[in-house]
Amino acid sequence: MFGYLTRRFIHSVFIIIGISLAVFAISRLTGDPVSLMVDFDTPREDREVLRKELGLDKPLPLQYLIFLKGAVKGEFGTSIRYEEPALKLVIERIPATLRLIAFTLGWSLLIAIPVGIISALKRNSFFDLFGMAITFLGQSIPSFWLGIMLIMIVGVKFHLLPISGYGDGDLLHVVMPALTLGAFEMASFARITRSSMLEVLDMDYIQTARAKGLRETAVVIKHAFRNSLIPIVTIMGIHVALLMGGAVITEQIFAYPGVGWLAIQSIYNRDFPVIQAIVTVVSVGVVATNFLIDILYTLIDPRIRYD
């Protein structure tokens, strides 16, 4: 397993370098950030001075090597808009995004797994059809529309929850963004749990466990659910990675000051250092998540070996 993880680590480094190269090239294609920092009638000479101070006068390959060298040290340069270290701006917003992801996964798994298990056990029953209809709605409703409806109904009409912001860490501010972001996740988890459970419930060892006189709860939880966890954990790892970079729209709707909101503002302002810092940090987060998922596989199913 150590050899496998070492190979995965080396592959991950190349993946992160490839992503950073793509983002570096694409961000340079969006235009000159100096034009956003100065007035329209600023003389060309002054623009060139500012461009030189930012290092934008150097050839692109050299700019990328300077960026890569700084990234290894955790130095992504100074934000063009905020005039603060880019990595510091990203790190300040990570706790807000991680809290949003934790709440999103928490409520979606809390509902999805029981719904998926019961739907599989009561296949084609009213509960199964009702549960799958709910998950179908969760996957069909666009998150931006759901977020706006929650703001209008829950926040504006009934004044039950705050409609935007972070609120000095008040947990109420994360409820509506988490509900918006987790609707699709809940539906995906419920459907994969149901299909995985249906596959396992037909196995011979489940019938054997029942024939031995084990309680149905023990058969379902210990034998069926545990052996159906591999697909669930796999899809959970994918969704965590998506949430790290996919909370952009939700954070924008609720003015939630997370990494996604900072990413949008940085793209609008062509703030290259911050964009590159965000992409690098998110990429490392996704790679770390995949590592954890690989290790979880061996804990869930001891038959899995990487040697």
Side-chain angles (χ1 to χ4, degrees):
M1 183 174 176
F2 178 76
Y4 171 79
L5 292 179
T6 303
R7 290 194 297 274
R8 282 294 307 270
F9 177 76
I10 295 172
H11 291 165
S12 301
V13 170
F14 281 105
I15 290 172
I16 292 173
I17 292 175
I19 292 172
S20 69
L21 181 59
V23 172
F24 179 87
I26 293 171
S27 61
R28 261 52 180 185
L29 294 175
T30 59
D32 185 8
V34 174
S35 60
L36 293 177
M37 302 172 64
V38 298
D39 294 332
F40 180 75
D41 55 352
T42 300
R44 183 176 178 180
E45 293 75 17
D46 293 344
R47 290 172 180 259
E48 291 300 325
V49 170
L50 183 56
R51 190 171 287 111
K52 188 174 182 180
E53 289 178 356
L54 296 172
L56 298 175
D57 61 325
K58 296 181 175 63
L60 285 178
L62 183 56
Q63 289 185 40
Y64 176 70
L65 290 177
I66 293 173
F67 156 72
L68 203 58
K69 182 180 177 183
V72 173
K73 301 176 183 175
E75 299 171 357
F76 293 88
T78 303
S79 166
I80 295 174
R81 176 178 173 78
Y82 300 100
E83 298 183 348
E84 294 182 39
L87 185 60
K88 174 176 174 287
L89 291 170
V90 178
I91 290 175
E92 286 176 350
R93 286 160 176 79
I94 285 178
T97 295
L98 288 181
R99 190 173 70 160
L100 177 58
I101 292 175
F103 272 82
T104 300
L105 287 178
W107 85 261
S108 57
L109 286 172
L110 199 62
I111 294 178
I113 289 180
V115 168
I117 292 175
I118 296 173
S119 294
L121 293 173
K122 300 183 179 298
R123 186 178 184 181
N124 295 329
S125 66
F126 172 78
F127 183 90
D128 183 25
L129 296 176
F130 180 74
M132 290 304 102
I134 295 297
T135 60
F136 181 75
L137 281 177
Q139 284 186 315
S140 303
I141 296 176
S143 61
F144 67 87
W145 182 85
L146 178 60
I148 293 172
M149 290 299 105
L150 286 174
I151 289 174
M152 294 178 64
I153 298 172
V154 180
V156 176
K157 186 174 179 61
F158 295 105
H159 304 285
L160 296 176
L161 291 170
I163 61 174
S164 65
Y166 191 64
D168 295 328
D170 185 358
L171 292 180
L172 291 178
H173 282 78
V174 81
V175 174
M176 286 204 289
L179 288 175
T180 302
L181 201 57
F184 183 85
E185 318 301 327
M186 182 273 295
S188 299
F189 292 144
R191 296 180 79 86
I192 196 69
T193 301
R194 178 181 181 274
S195 62
S196 184
M197 283 290 293
L198 284 175
E199 184 177 345
V200 172
L201 286 172
D202 289 334
M203 295 291 181
D204 291 339
Y205 61 84
I206 297 296
Q207 306 304 325
T208 303
R210 284 174 173 152
K212 287 181 177 178
L214 292 178
R215 289 186 302 173
E216 185 65 15
T217 305
V219 173
V220 172
I221 301 299
K222 186 177 179 180
H223 295 279
F225 180 61
R226 181 176 179 180
N227 286 289
S228 68
L229 274 177
I230 293 294
I232 299 171
V233 170
T234 301
I235 201 76
M236 187 172 70
I238 295 172
H239 280 273
V240 168
L242 291 174
L243 285 173
M244 286 183 181
V248 173
I249 296 175
T250 302
E251 290 185 357
Q252 196 71 13
I253 291 173
F254 292 95
Y256 189 83
V259 175
W261 183 86
L262 179 63
I264 289 292
Q265 300 302 316
S266 302
I267 291 170
Y268 283 154
N269 297 299
R270 296 172 190 165
D271 200 342
F272 298 152
V274 178
I275 295 172
Q276 291 162 357
I278 291 173
V279 172
T280 304
V281 169
V282 171
S283 301
V284 171
V286 171
V287 169
T289 302
N290 284 325
F291 264 114
L292 290 176
I293 296 298
D294 283 344
I295 295 172
L296 271 179
Y297 284 158
T298 61
L299 297 177
I300 295 171
D301 190 346
R303 294 172 299 178
I304 296 178
R305 292 285 185 271
Y306 291 120
D307 296 330

